[in-house]
Amino acid sequence: SQTNYSWNQTNNVWENSYKVVYTNNSSGKPIELVGFNAGLSSWDTSYKTTFVYNSNGYVTEETTFNWDQGSHSWKTSVKLVYSYNVSLQLINISKWQWNYITNSLQEVRRDEFAYDANNNNSTVTTITWDGTAWVDSEKHLKYWSLHQINSVEEQNNYKINIFPNPASNIVYFDNYSNKPLNK
């Protein structure tokens, strides 16, 4: 579990803020987490997220529920569905939200992933449902270098003296170093 606290400056004490309790499978991956908000005298149940994995250990579904105090039951809020290609690369995340008018989940967003010849994720395209049609929303391009960086040259700050100031025709530079200056 994880408990978070907030500092109360008036009383100079740490106060409960929220708590998350995790349940993991035998591989150590979360299958459920339950969130609680700090109430006046106890922890109030707030939300629950469940996870489903495929045989390769990759998440295929993530569903979040909100606690309904009135009915004392979990109400579906958001569901994410993950799809993979034969190389086990993520190719799609579909986001579904609860529609209170139709009392059903409705797909509202798709993130589509593309890969370059080296199997690097090169593009993420997001489309969203505007109520009548799917429309382009965002596109992220990623660039990968074939060069491996082994070190970074440290930049030195050299003191430079420029004189005379003010100048009319000639300016002199004195760099107090034996290294040449670049433009």
Side-chain angles (χ1 to χ4, degrees):
S1 70
Q2 169 186 335
T3 304
N4 296 284
Y5 302 91
S6 298
W7 183 252
N8 181 323
Q9 290 183 348
T10 305
N11 298 331
N12 288 326
V13 295
W14 288 103
E15 294 180 341
N16 290 335
S17 181
Y18 65 93
K19 175 170 71 170
V20 180
V21 177
Y22 299 86
T23 303
N24 296 333
N25 64 17
S26 60
S27 300
K29 295 185 180 209
I31 55 172
E32 180 179 87
L33 57 93
V34 180
F36 302 87
N37 291 323
L40 295 175
S41 62
S42 65
W43 291 103
D44 294 332
T45 306
S46 176
Y47 70 92
K48 171 175 77 171
T49 302
T50 61
F51 302 88
V52 176
Y53 298 90
N54 63 18
S55 59
N56 295 304
Y58 295 126
V59 66
T60 56
E61 290 183 13
E62 178 181 334
T63 307
T64 300
F65 306 86
N66 292 323
W67 181 251
D68 184 353
Q69 292 286 7
S71 66
H72 296 285
S73 63
W74 294 108
K75 301 289 184 180
T76 305
S77 174
V78 175
K79 182 176 187 174
L80 300 175
V81 178
Y82 300 81
S83 302
Y84 303 88
N85 62 20
V86 294
S87 300
L88 300 178
Q89 295 169 315
L90 181 64
I91 56 171
N92 188 315
I93 301 174
S94 297
K95 180 179 181 181
W96 298 70
Q97 282 185 300
W98 189 258
N99 183 322
Y100 291 97
I101 296 170
T102 63
N103 272 340
S104 64
L105 285 169
Q106 177 181 344
E107 190 176 16
V108 295
R109 175 184 170 130
R110 291 181 189 156
D111 293 319
E112 298 170 349
F113 300 80
Y115 297 86
D116 64 17
N118 295 313
N119 291 321
N120 297 310
N121 175 231
S122 58
T123 308
V124 180
T125 304
T126 301
I127 58 175
T128 55
W129 182 254
D130 72 358
T132 58
W134 289 100
V135 294
D136 288 332
S137 178
E138 297 176 21
K139 188 171 200 171
H140 302 273
L141 300 175
K142 299 178 181 183
Y143 297 96
W144 298 88
S145 173
L146 298 177
H147 305 287
Q148 183 174 353
I149 298 173
N150 294 324
S151 66
V152 176
E153 183 179 325
E154 186 176 323
Q155 295 293 319
N156 293 316
N157 293 324
Y158 296 108
K159 187 173 184 177
I160 298 174
N161 189 19
I162 302 172
F163 60 94
N165 185 7
S168 56
N169 294 328
I170 298 175
V171 177
Y172 297 95
F173 296 87
D174 189 0
N175 72 351
Y176 301 109
S177 169
N178 59 358
K179 292 187 177 185
L181 297 174
N182 294 328
K183 293 181 184 180

